[in-house]
Amino acid sequence: MKKKVLVGVMGLMALVGMMSMSACSKEHQCKCMMTDVEDDGLLRYFVVDGSIACEDITEMSFEEHVSVEGGTSLRRVEVHKVNCRSYGD
């Protein structure tokens, strides 16, 4: 009897662990439109994980590699304010 209970508890723990791992790894797409310049008609979307809401994205930029003494670094170019929503909406 104890062996059946132990196997049942272990199975339940494994099921809960698998469900929590799959819930954390959900990705979704956010569609964004620039609000500080005129819309150019290009589709801009981001793939983000489940912990980020599309409405929380307020700024986007491009980065380019620049050479500095001792290696390379990143510099932001074309910083824009954006308004984002879920791509499926």
Side-chain angles (χ1 to χ4, degrees):
M1 184 66 150
K2 288 183 184 180
K3 191 173 189 177
K4 287 183 182 180
V5 171
L6 183 61
V7 171
V9 170
M10 295 296 280
L12 182 61
M13 287 175 53
L15 180 64
V16 168
M18 288 181 3
M19 287 176 58
S20 67
M21 285 175 45
S22 67
C24 294
S25 65
K26 299 278 186 192
E27 294 181 339
H28 59 277
Q29 296 178 347
C30 299
K31 178 181 177 183
C32 299
M33 297 177 62
M34 291 189 289
T35 58
D36 60 346
V37 294
E38 188 175 337
D39 185 26
D40 57 5
L42 296 175
L43 177 63
R44 290 174 180 84
Y45 71 94
F46 300 97
V47 177
V48 296
D49 67 6
S51 65
I52 299 174
C54 295
E55 293 77 18
D56 293 340
I57 300 172
T58 59
E59 190 175 79
M60 71 164 246
S61 65
F62 295 99
E63 294 180 337
E64 63 182 17
H65 287 272
V66 292
S67 296
V68 294
E69 188 175 320
T72 61
S73 182
L74 292 174
R75 178 177 60 185
R76 286 186 179 179
V77 294
E78 289 191 48
V79 179
H80 296 286
K81 297 290 182 188
V82 293
N83 185 10
C84 299
R85 62 182 174 87
S86 293
Y87 185 60
D89 294 346

